[in-house]
Amino acid sequence: MHILLTGSAGFIGFHLTRRLLGDGHQVLGLDSLNDYYDTHLKYARLGNLGIDAAAAHYGTKVQSATSPRFHFVRLGLEDRPAMECLFGENAFDTVINLAAQPGVRYSLLNPHAYIESNIAGFLNILEGCRNSKGLRHLVYASSSSVYGISDKTPFSEGDSVDHPVSLYAATKKGNELMAHTYSHLFGIPTTGLRFFTVYGPWGRPDMAYFSFAKNILEGKPIPVFNQGQLQRDFTYIDDIVEGICRVLDRPPTVNPDWDASHPDPASSRAPYRLYNIGNNSPVPLLEFISVLEEALGKKAILDFKPMQPGDVFTTFADISGLERDFGWKPATDIRTGIRQFVQWLMEYNGKV
């Protein structure tokens, strides 16, 4: 397939690009390379894919030095004229939209970045798909954050997600609504994947597991919110990539049993689907820190703090939909995944 993959210098996008190239696909990667977190890590990911990011001028397509089937363009989703040109000059079979302004707490500080990238940028993706001939499938990243203050666990795609507790979560729900509209009006097959706390090698420094590991190694305290009474459904990157790849080849069709009097939020009369993609096994925060200490061979200094605005107490994915339709199950337990992350971190930091 000829695939447009946005966010290709990001954590998930980098791993997915490697997998898609390994599977023989042709990939055009797009990323703005913004400075939300250390751009050196983004450049290093692209370097691993054969792209000299420092030489990648805005809007110019660059070919990988190691794979003739991978090209990269530095571009922001919110740049409407450039996005129109990108779709006008390329014929994509599939679009995978992973690019977004991430982060729950950052959305309290810079809300406009979320509207520009996650709403206006996603609209540009949808419009590009609408005007593309032969497009088979749009797969896009949603988030477990859409479940907001729900106390019902595990979280199911059939649950109401009408009470987000951060602007980031609201924009992700907005993406799902926008995708459904375009599936309904223009017949674009769209699949939204609600990611649950993805971790692993080449991960994001703003994520708790990454910053915790860094602080433990440096002998600095780590902030433990809500006095440690939190739990997360940590999902290893290889499992996430496997799930995305299984979904890609099977665009959704209309659900003939969909009933407007008892509507299923995860499907529709339009070619539209939503799936949780998580580990289905939430880990208490203090247990997670213990696993991290074990892998690092060093104890953490805990700095207990109250609950942060925008945070939720637990995330727990019901993954029966993805298992039923694609035979997908996570294969990596938390100890194995954290060991793999720590090994990479030590090598990346030059500590071994």
Side-chain angles (χ1 to χ4, degrees):
M1 291 189 287
H2 186 196
I3 298 171
L4 171 64
L5 173 55
T6 73
S8 58
F11 171 34
I12 301 173
F14 161 70
H15 283 275
L16 182 57
T17 299
R18 291 202 302 186
R19 169 66 181 270
L20 294 173
L21 294 174
D23 288 347
H25 298 296
Q26 182 179 347
V27 180
L28 174 60
L30 179 153
D31 203 290
S32 67
L33 298 176
N34 68 33
D35 60 358
Y36 169 66
Y37 62 79
D38 185 9
T39 56
H40 290 94
L41 179 55
K42 298 179 182 182
Y43 284 18
R45 292 180 186 135
L46 286 175
N48 189 275
L49 296 169
I51 299 292
D52 181 1
H57 300 294
Y58 190 84
T60 302
K61 188 188 296 186
V62 179
Q63 182 173 332
S64 167
T66 56
S67 174
R69 286 180 286 101
F70 180 56
H71 291 77
F72 173 78
V73 60
R74 183 172 185 171
L75 204 62
L77 294 188
E78 66 277 9
D79 188 336
R80 178 179 170 185
M83 291 296 291
E84 289 175 348
C85 287
L86 183 78
F87 276 94
E89 294 171 356
N90 297 273
F92 301 113
D93 302 303
T94 302
V95 174
I96 308 170
N97 183 53
L98 302 180
Q101 177 57 59
V104 169
R105 294 181 187 119
Y106 187 65
S107 67
L108 301 174
L109 304 175
N110 191 2
H112 295 285
Y114 291 78
I115 301 303
E116 292 163 5
S117 178
N118 300 7
I119 300 297
F122 190 59
L123 177 60
N124 290 335
I125 289 287
L126 290 168
E127 278 292 290
C129 292
R130 172 190 177 184
N131 294 307
S132 293
K133 293 181 179 180
L135 184 82
R136 296 178 61 248
H137 199 182
L138 166 62
V139 178
Y140 62 96
S142 186
S143 168
S144 63
S145 66
V146 300
Y147 290 104
I149 57 176
S150 173
D151 288 332
K152 177 182 173 292
T153 57
F155 298 159
S156 168
E157 300 94 337
D159 295 342
S160 169
V161 290
D162 290 334
H163 298 89
V165 294
S166 69
L167 183 62
Y168 170 70
T171 63
K172 286 301 183 178
K173 179 181 177 179
N175 286 172
E176 296 176 357
L177 297 174
M178 294 162 72
H180 181 267
T181 302
Y182 273 67
S183 292
H184 171 75
L185 290 175
F186 309 113
I188 301 169
T190 66
T191 301
L193 296 174
R194 292 173 173 171
F195 295 129
F196 279 70
T197 317
V198 188
Y199 75 101
W202 295 95
R204 278 173 34 201
D206 63 309
M207 296 288 284
Y209 72 93
F210 199 121
S211 62
F212 282 6
K214 184 174 181 292
N215 282 12
I216 291 171
L217 287 171
E218 295 175 357
K220 298 178 180 177
I222 60 174
V224 182
F225 295 106
N226 199 42
Q227 311 303 316
Q229 301 306 304
L230 301 171
Q231 57 181 5
R232 293 290 181 265
D233 203 347
F234 293 98
T235 316
Y236 191 62
I237 182 61
D238 290 357
D239 294 329
I240 290 288
V241 168
E242 176 64 26
I244 296 172
C245 288
R246 293 197 186 194
V247 165
L248 278 186
D249 235 358
R250 291 175 51 190
T253 56
V254 300
N255 178 2
D257 299 322
W258 196 84
D259 182 358
S261 62
H262 298 90
D264 169 20
S267 67
S268 174
R269 289 174 184 157
Y272 168 89
R273 289 292 188 280
L274 292 172
Y275 293 101
N276 290 333
I277 182 166
N279 204 47
N280 188 232
S281 181
V283 179
L285 181 57
L286 294 178
E287 179 183 332
F288 172 76
I289 292 171
S290 176
V291 171
L292 197 53
E293 291 173 327
E294 179 184 312
L296 291 166
K298 190 172 182 180
K299 296 294 288 183
I301 303 170
L302 307 182
D303 180 14
F304 290 101
K305 292 180 176 294
M307 190 71 166
Q308 288 287 287
D311 269 357
V312 295
F313 294 102
T314 186
T315 61
F316 184 179
D318 176 350
I319 57 172
S320 57
L322 210 55
E323 182 179 358
R324 177 194 65 234
D325 293 347
F326 299 96
W328 177 87
K329 276 188 174 182
T332 312
D333 65 86
I334 191 69
R335 278 183 165 76
T336 301
I338 286 296
R339 281 198 303 268
Q340 295 290 340
F341 163 69
V342 167
Q343 180 181 346
W344 167 81
L345 182 65
M346 294 296 198
E347 294 170 354
Y348 182 75
N349 286 342
K351 295 185 181 297
V352 294

